[in-house]
Amino acid sequence: MVRLLSLAALLAVSVSARAATEEPGFFTHGLTDVQYAWSDSEQSWLKRGPDKLRFDETDQDELQLGRLGLELGYAFDLQSVLKLEANYYLDPDSSLELTEAYFQHRTLGAGSWRSRYKLGVFYPAISMENTGPLWTSPYTISSSAINTWLGEELRAVGAEGRWTWIGDEYNRSKHRFSLFAAMFCCNDTLGAMISWRGWSIHDRQTGVNGTLPIRELPAIVYADHSREFEPFMEIDDRVGFYGGMEWDYARRLKLQFVYYDNRADDTIRQDDQFGWRTKFGQLGFHWQPADSWDLLGQFMRGRTIMVEDVVINDFESGYLLVAKSWGPHRLAARVEYFRIIDVDGNSFDLNREDGDSQTLSYSRLFGRGWKLSLEATRFFSDYAARSHFGETERRTEHELLVSLRYYF
Amino acid sequence: MTWRVSFCLRCLSALSALLLSGALHADFLVEVDSRGALEGAVVTARPVDGRVEGPSPPATVSMVQANRQFDPFILPVPVGVPVDFPNRDDTAHHVYSFSPIGSFELPLYKGDAPHPIVFDKPGVVPLGCNIHDWMIGYLYVVDTPWYTQLSHNSARFENLPAGTWEISIWHPAIDHLPTPAWQVTISGTGQSETLSLDFPFASVTQPEPPRERFDERGDY
């Protein structure tokens, strides 16, 4: 661990950080995140246990590597940029995961409309929370249940267009109306984690080359499903889509609606993974009544189906986050709930979940890139799948996280 | 927010303003009761009866980008005087205008000071930045060498020659309003006149840039 931390420090110092829009050419950014976790969770899902947070009580002996994140890019000019983002983790196994890799072109200038196009692997811009470098949240260490799930399982491998009305060219409006739409592939297994692990809260994002551990649920054993879940697979050669709209007023208020459908064929199985047909709608908002206050939230509801009569789950979650900043200090509080409604009623694969979580986070920025955060989380879940292991379905976890990040 | 504005124009120290040539000049003070709502407004004077030689224009003027804002918010530019756009920010800007008197787009990387732009007609040139869309600034191109700007509700013309002058004021807050021009005769003796803009208008000030933190990113 110490060697790794030295490597992280060396990497951070040796890479010359430059802003992406500073001048044409190559640029690099990144962050190192070292964490200490105190947790009363028995065994984390990352170790195939029943608990939902990233760390558990066995992790208290040493410092943890939250991540080593690196963003490499090449700016052709102010309009076109090529970006690659990767994260290195030690848990559950040492892995370097490619989280985003895309080409972006945006139009600047004439007219009342602007457009932005992305081609490659990218996050749909539907998180109100994860607006920091490498899709981190500037408010808390762990993301909300919704965004934890998006970071684990959802990525677009395809093309996205975004068109924004910015008002009359002589007199720019304070209103911005955007429409966006994308076509993508390779997210056909989306839905498995929230069904077979349930909702979770953490800060670990999966790369397109990454896999996630799944417990030996009866359905997994019966179907001889792989014990490593692959979120980013194309198994049916069908194209998925999402689309939405956003209204922004004077950068103070943002309202967004998005509809997503991976259009996966839920009858297909390939390489010991199943197709999961997953659709959802989401409402998101971000209100900044002043520079020092942020109020944001997302509400999502959807359905995932795996082999029509085997798994049909409705899922739903929402959070509200309020953050107050003063100078380099920021205090953020987030409350949320999440549910899985097990519609299929199959007793050999129980997925029902009801839970809620509260997070309180304090952070402070130091100098030109250091950030220290202290975060407390309570996570309660009543998750039926635990009964397959003879465990109590209701569990409450508490976690205290300290994180020291360096952004470069 | 609306303000009613009244102008008070007074000749100051006219008697002491005699130049060596013997021609009568006066320092001329324009006062505006707008409680700061027209800060930076460009006040121009034009001789009504014939041409009078004025002060020579500056060689260049600069509209700077600093702290993700235009500095100054309003820049008076004499016709024919080159305007440069130095970028003093760490980030790049993409400054544009679609003004009928001259439209342009300038990609400005850190430290860039591209070729200056010359306007050969008077008028308003609203400026924006395509990357930081809260950035708003104005060039006001004037066809008279006699111009000044309101600061703390007053603007001073130095050594305005005696004669009859037409005084005008421009500010984005009153851009589309029927702002009158006033005729004022500078006689070289003490005089005071009060003129008024008798209509309501909404205040327009330079927008503040949003907060900037290294753990947050803009979205465009």
Side-chain angles (χ1 to χ4, degrees):
Chain A
M1 187 68 195
V2 172
R3 252 177 44 196
L4 192 76
L5 293 181
S6 331
L7 178 74
L10 188 70
L11 182 72
V13 172
S14 62
V15 171
S16 65
R18 291 193 329 198
T21 53
E22 214 172 275
E23 54 193 87
F26 289 100
F27 61 88
T28 50
H29 289 292
L31 67 89
T32 64
D33 187 353
V34 177
Q35 302 183 349
Y36 181 77
W38 178 90
S39 167
D40 65 0
S41 306
E42 212 173 291
Q43 194 176 21
S44 165
W45 65 275
L46 277 167
K47 297 167 189 158
R48 301 176 200 274
D51 290 315
K52 303 298 204 95
L53 302 178
R54 180 170 174 182
F55 300 113
D56 59 38
E57 57 189 12
T58 66
D59 293 313
Q60 275 158 233
D61 306 334
E62 57 174 358
L63 286 176
Q64 306 294 330
L65 179 74
R67 73 165 78 193
L68 271 178
L70 192 63
E71 176 187 318
L72 298 172
Y74 183 81
F76 297 91
D77 49 37
L78 287 178
Q79 297 185 297
S80 301
V81 67
L82 197 61
K83 256 191 207 181
L84 203 143
E85 298 188 357
N87 288 287
Y88 177 74
Y89 306 105
L90 286 175
D91 58 341
D93 305 302
S94 154
S95 60
L96 180 68
E97 306 198 4
L98 184 72
T99 44
E100 291 195 280
Y102 61 89
F103 171 76
Q104 176 181 294
H105 179 80
R106 59 181 180 180
T107 60
L108 297 173
S112 295
W113 289 85
R114 267 183 205 160
S115 49
R116 185 187 75 187
Y117 303 96
K118 280 186 178 180
L119 188 69
V121 180
F122 50 87
Y123 282 103
I126 62 172
S127 170
M128 298 290 127
E129 199 181 24
N130 300 64
T131 54
L134 290 143
W135 211 72
T136 52
S137 165
Y139 309 103
T140 56
I141 303 168
S142 58
S143 296
S144 62
I146 291 177
N147 294 317
T148 295
W149 177 54
L150 299 183
E152 276 179 343
E153 276 201 275
L154 193 142
R155 215 63 41 86
V157 182
E160 183 198 72
R162 186 183 177 95
W163 300 271
T164 303
W165 180 85
I166 56 174
D168 182 83
E169 58 192 21
Y170 299 105
N171 191 12
R172 292 299 192 210
S173 174
K174 285 188 171 178
H175 299 273
R176 300 275 185 273
F177 297 100
S178 301
L179 293 170
F180 54 93
M183 291 170 76
F184 59 85
C185 71
C186 313
N187 218 174
D188 290 342
T189 51
L190 173 73
M193 285 308 285
I194 47 169
S195 298
W196 284 344
R197 192 275 324 268
W199 294 93
S200 171
I201 280 184
H202 60 81
D203 64 341
R204 192 190 182 286
Q205 302 164 35
T206 318
V208 281
N209 56 326
T211 62
L212 294 167
I214 311 185
R215 302 185 85 188
E216 298 220 345
L217 291 158
I220 302 267
V221 176
Y222 177 76
D224 199 21
H225 186 286
S226 167
R227 273 56 166 177
E228 302 299 325
F229 167 60
E230 289 186 40
F232 308 110
M233 278 186 75
E234 180 57 45
I235 64 177
D236 59 11
D237 298 328
R238 272 160 52 168
V239 174
F241 78 94
Y242 62 83
M245 58 186 89
E246 188 174 293
W247 169 56
D248 179 298
Y249 179 73
R251 304 179 81 88
R252 287 293 180 200
L253 180 64
K254 184 155 85 174
L255 292 176
Q256 189 195 67
F257 172 74
V258 62
Y259 181 77
Y260 176 101
D261 185 349
N262 72 350
R263 294 186 68 249
D265 184 342
D266 57 68
T267 62
I268 293 188
R269 175 186 176 143
Q270 184 184 307
D271 298 337
D272 298 332
Q273 311 272 334
F274 288 105
W276 293 70
R277 176 71 181 269
T278 300
K279 332 173 195 190
F280 63 82
Q282 180 187 268
L283 282 169
F285 80 97
H286 185 176
W287 181 39
Q288 257 187 287
D291 258 8
S292 58
W293 283 97
D294 291 86
L295 184 65
L296 49 132
Q298 287 166 246
F299 170 80
M300 171 188 282
R301 193 177 162 93
R303 171 168 281 200
T304 184
I305 298 172
M306 191 267 287
V307 189
E308 187 70 59
D309 54 346
V310 178
V311 180
I312 306 174
N313 289 331
D314 284 345
F315 56 90
E316 183 183 304
S317 180
Y319 74 87
L320 272 180
L321 187 152
V322 60
K324 163 78 177 142
S325 313
W326 62 103
H329 309 274
R330 177 175 272 169
L331 200 58
R334 184 180 64 215
V335 291
E336 55 197 305
Y337 80 98
F338 39 85
R339 324 169 56 186
I340 303 282
I341 300 152
D342 194 338
V343 180
D344 57 72
N346 280 325
S347 58
F348 67 90
D349 187 48
L350 300 170
N351 312 118
R352 179 197 55 81
E353 179 170 41
D354 278 288
D356 58 81
S357 177
Q358 301 83 36
T359 298
L360 187 65
S361 188
Y362 164 78
S363 62
R364 190 193 194 291
L365 306 179
F366 293 92
R368 285 180 68 90
W370 292 94
K371 180 176 182 177
L372 180 69
S373 308
L374 185 67
E375 182 164 305
T377 297
R378 174 193 169 276
F379 188 99
F380 165 77
S381 69
D382 177 359
Y383 183 40
R386 286 176 182 136
S387 66
H388 293 307
F389 299 90
E391 296 154 351
T392 164
E393 293 180 17
R394 299 163 67 90
R395 295 176 86 95
T396 305
E397 299 163 66
H398 301 89
E399 186 179 60
L400 191 63
L401 271 177
V402 184
S403 145
L404 182 64
R405 280 184 189 170
Y406 181 67
Y407 295 77
F408 56 94
Chain B
M1 187 164 28
T2 63
W3 305 112
R4 282 188 184 272
V5 175
S6 69
F7 279 86
C8 168
L9 298 101
R10 281 179 289 149
C11 283
L12 293 183
S13 59
L15 288 173
S16 64
L18 286 169
L19 293 186
L20 288 175
S21 67
L24 210 47
H25 291 69
D27 281 357
F28 188 69
L29 191 75
V30 179
E31 285 185 350
V32 180
D33 174 22
S34 66
R35 282 172 275 183
L38 295 179
E39 184 70 12
V42 180
V43 184
T44 52
R46 286 180 187 79
V48 171
D49 36 9
R51 299 174 68 87
V52 178
E53 200 172 314
S56 44
T60 57
V61 291
S62 295
M63 180 54 104
V64 176
Q65 300 112 70
N67 302 317
R68 298 175 299 146
Q69 277 192 316
F70 287 110
D71 181 24
F73 179 40
I74 301 167
L75 178 69
V77 180
V79 165
V81 170
V83 188
D84 57 27
F85 293 86
N87 178 7
R88 300 205 179 130
D89 276 332
D90 279 344
T91 184
H93 294 290
H94 193 264
V95 175
Y96 69 87
S97 182
F98 298 109
S99 170
I101 69 162
S103 65
F104 60 91
E105 290 179 88
L106 293 175
L108 295 165
Y109 293 100
K110 179 186 177 184
D112 264 5
H115 235 58
I117 293 177
V118 177
F119 300 93
D120 55 11
K121 285 192 282 272
V124 183
V125 183
L127 302 174
C129 171
N130 279 315
I131 297 168
H132 309 98
D133 58 11
W134 63 87
M135 284 175 65
I136 294 169
Y138 295 91
L139 305 178
Y140 187 63
V141 184
V142 297
D143 57 358
T144 168
W146 304 98
Y147 62 89
T148 182
Q149 280 182 281
L150 272 193
S151 170
H152 301 103
N153 301 326
S154 67
R156 177 186 294 270
F157 289 99
E158 289 180 359
N159 296 324
L160 204 59
T164 303
W165 294 83
E166 190 179 87
I167 308 293
S168 317
I169 184 166
W170 180 87
H171 187 277
I174 53 175
D175 183 46
H176 297 297
L177 299 172
T179 311
W182 300 271
Q183 287 209 352
V184 173
T185 301
I186 305 293
S187 64
T189 59
Q191 69 186 74
S192 110
E193 291 180 53
T194 302
L195 303 167
S196 63
L197 267 182
D198 196 19
F199 54 81
F201 63 89
S203 169
V204 173
T205 52
Q206 185 167 25
E208 289 290 320
R211 67 178 180 222
E212 194 176 25
R213 293 168 55 111
F214 58 74
D215 63 347
E216 288 177 350
R217 286 252 172 105
D219 61 354
Y220 186 70

